Amino acid sequence: MRRADDNRPVVGSNSKELGVRVPPNPNADIDLDESGKVILNGKGMSVAENWRDLPPHLIPMRLRSRLPGAAGSDRLACFVHGSGPFHEGPINDRLALVLKAHNTRAGNVVPSRLDEVQSFQDDLAATRSEWSIEES
Amino acid sequence: MSNQFFQNADFVEYTKLLYELHSAMRESGDESTEAEKIRDRMDEPGSRLSPDEIAVVQGISADFYSVADPLPTAILPRTAEVNVDLVAVRRARDTRDFHLALDVLRRRAAHLEPSAVSFLRGRIWMAAGQPAIAALFLERAAELQPANPSYRSIALEVLSAADPQRARQHAGEILRNSEDQPARLVLIACQILYFEARESSDESTRSTLESVVTAIRGAMDRMMISGEDQTLPGLFLHAFALLGQCFELLGDHAGARKWYDEGLRLSPDDPLLLTLRGMQRYGEDSPGAVADFERAIRRGSDSVWPYYFLAHHHLLSRNFQECLDTSTKGLQREATDSVRADLQEWIAISSASLGDPRPVVEAWFQQALRLAPDHRRIRANYELYIQSQASEPDWDTPTSTEVGRSGRQGFKVNVQNAA
């Protein structure tokens, strides 16, 4: 994710920010129902178990000495949230982790219950101080 | 990038964008707007990659960096184990396990000259059917070893598929200074410019072709002086073929025939020259043309063209069993959809004339129309057959002139195959 000056992720609704891209963005991370609520279909903010599991365009180039194919912008940083195992389940009382079907080393952070999109964005933003840079 | 990966459209798309990203990073900077736009486009296909595919694209990305990275200060010894692995690289490439080939090569790269690594990577990507990526590595190999004619000629050949405009530019530069260039490279440059002239209706075509003829003759003279006509006989004969084709395009058919005959005097059984001479004779001296095509086939021609012309000859001669057999063999060769559709139509006509069941005949027509849905003649013949109760309605068959035109437009001399 993009790194802010305080070494925490940038909050927002663009690619590589702490938040989700919302329809009508063609690359939206979530689907909305007719009333504007987030559909609980496993879609959400994309995350991975380890930065080494990311495709190369998401890994900052400064990490080339550790992963020679890293080709992401150096404005990005690899953040970690918490210290528990990368398992499907609740992250807190409002967010949960759902693993991707084709890649169990990657998943989506999703809302735990049917909610407005802004509430979901706020819940993600509320975790900002819990993310720290981990690039070892 | 094994076959399994290459069947995944997301993997193919991601790899293509990765190539574009590295190009943008080299040309506009790592953090440029261009690079960032490409990274944004990579999010979607990247999000659907499996862990194995991610590992593969990470390796490919590292390979892309090698094109611009500083060269290593020392190369590790080339041990027996390294040689064994290099054999494994070639084997993996030939069995289309491209991921394995790239992976083993990457692990042994520090033991090889960077130019050789780049060249081998280029050959793997060529085999994988990715000319733009292949050209990147082959051009790098040629840049690192400018004195190696093989690197330069293969790079130019692949570039002609990846970026025809840039290849034509390079070919033009080579011709301007052709006397100082290796014959193989000059002939490939000539081949590129010949194809350009053949597809163009531009006024400057004639002068381009005349320059090409001069360059080919110069390259042939140098080959004779250096002895390359003996050490690279296939390449030398291709020069005759290319020269003859240039004369044909210039409208000098006698001149073309002279070069085909001269080449065949040196190598009477050369399938390429036999095919070209046969094509030139077809319609005017059909017995002579047929003899050339038959000989080209007996001598192992891997081209579809002698089969194509011979099948057409049998069709016009109403030798339907021979037409059917020759067309069937032609279909086993590499050919464009248009040529394949013609052969399938001729099988349909032969099959009908031989009294085969109507569903068999119709299936051949339908196959032909799947390849060439807008082909007026094939559709007309199909409809004629459907509407007629006769096994031999009044078919519309292409003339020798029409078939000759298809041959001239479709035939490609490939110098690299002989080099």
Side-chain angles (χ1 to χ4, degrees), chain B residues 52 68 83 198 205 271 306 349:
Chain B
D52 285 347
N83 289 334
R198 196 168 77 176
T205 298
I349 292 174

Tab-separated table of all heavy atoms in Angstrom, chain B residues 52 68 83 198 205 271 306 349:
chain	number	residue	atom	x	y	z
B	52	ASP	N	1.877	-20.239	-7.706
B	52	ASP	CA	2.894	-20.715	-8.664
B	52	ASP	C	3.110	-19.689	-9.768
B	52	ASP	O	4.245	-19.413	-10.175
B	52	ASP	CB	2.459	-22.041	-9.302
B	52	ASP	CG	2.614	-23.200	-8.319
B	52	ASP	OD1	3.272	-23.014	-7.278
B	52	ASP	OD2	2.056	-24.285	-8.598
B	68	ALA	N	19.020	-4.228	-18.529
B	68	ALA	CA	19.593	-2.898	-18.284
B	68	ALA	C	20.551	-2.877	-17.092
B	68	ALA	O	21.230	-1.881	-16.867
B	68	ALA	CB	18.461	-1.899	-18.054
B	83	ASN	N	26.919	-27.475	-17.319
B	83	ASN	CA	26.678	-27.988	-18.677
B	83	ASN	C	25.469	-28.923	-18.716
B	83	ASN	O	24.679	-28.883	-19.659
B	83	ASN	CB	27.916	-28.711	-19.206
B	83	ASN	CG	29.026	-27.719	-19.519
B	83	ASN	OD1	28.751	-26.553	-19.803
B	83	ASN	ND2	30.268	-28.166	-19.445
B	198	ARG	N	7.115	-6.221	-51.231
B	198	ARG	CA	6.064	-7.076	-51.783
B	198	ARG	C	4.684	-6.638	-51.302
B	198	ARG	O	3.701	-6.763	-52.018
B	198	ARG	CB	6.332	-8.529	-51.362
B	198	ARG	CG	5.553	-9.521	-52.190
B	198	ARG	CD	6.029	-10.912	-51.975
B	198	ARG	NE	5.549	-11.477	-50.727
B	198	ARG	CZ	5.778	-12.736	-50.339
B	198	ARG	NH1	6.501	-13.527	-51.096
B	198	ARG	NH2	5.312	-13.195	-49.211
B	205	THR	N	9.232	1.341	-54.179
B	205	THR	CA	9.476	-0.093	-54.103
B	205	THR	C	10.609	-0.529	-55.032
B	205	THR	O	11.469	-1.315	-54.661
B	205	THR	CB	8.174	-0.850	-54.473
B	205	THR	OG1	7.209	-0.502	-53.521
B	205	THR	CG2	8.372	-2.343	-54.453
B	271	PRO	N	14.912	-28.216	-52.309
B	271	PRO	CA	13.442	-28.117	-52.382
B	271	PRO	C	12.935	-26.682	-52.507
B	271	PRO	O	11.946	-26.436	-53.192
B	271	PRO	CB	12.973	-28.742	-51.054
B	271	PRO	CG	14.133	-29.472	-50.498
B	271	PRO	CD	15.362	-28.814	-51.044
B	306	PRO	N	4.634	-26.755	-52.693
B	306	PRO	CA	4.630	-27.755	-53.777
B	306	PRO	C	3.386	-28.624	-53.737
B	306	PRO	O	2.838	-28.991	-54.785
B	306	PRO	CB	5.909	-28.564	-53.521
B	306	PRO	CG	6.367	-28.230	-52.161
B	306	PRO	CD	5.810	-26.887	-51.836
B	349	ILE	N	-14.204	-31.199	-53.393
B	349	ILE	CA	-14.545	-31.393	-54.814
B	349	ILE	C	-14.103	-32.789	-55.275
B	349	ILE	O	-14.861	-33.518	-55.933
B	349	ILE	CB	-13.885	-30.282	-55.676
B	349	ILE	CG1	-14.532	-28.928	-55.362
B	349	ILE	CG2	-13.988	-30.615	-57.162
B	349	ILE	CD1	-13.872	-27.747	-56.051
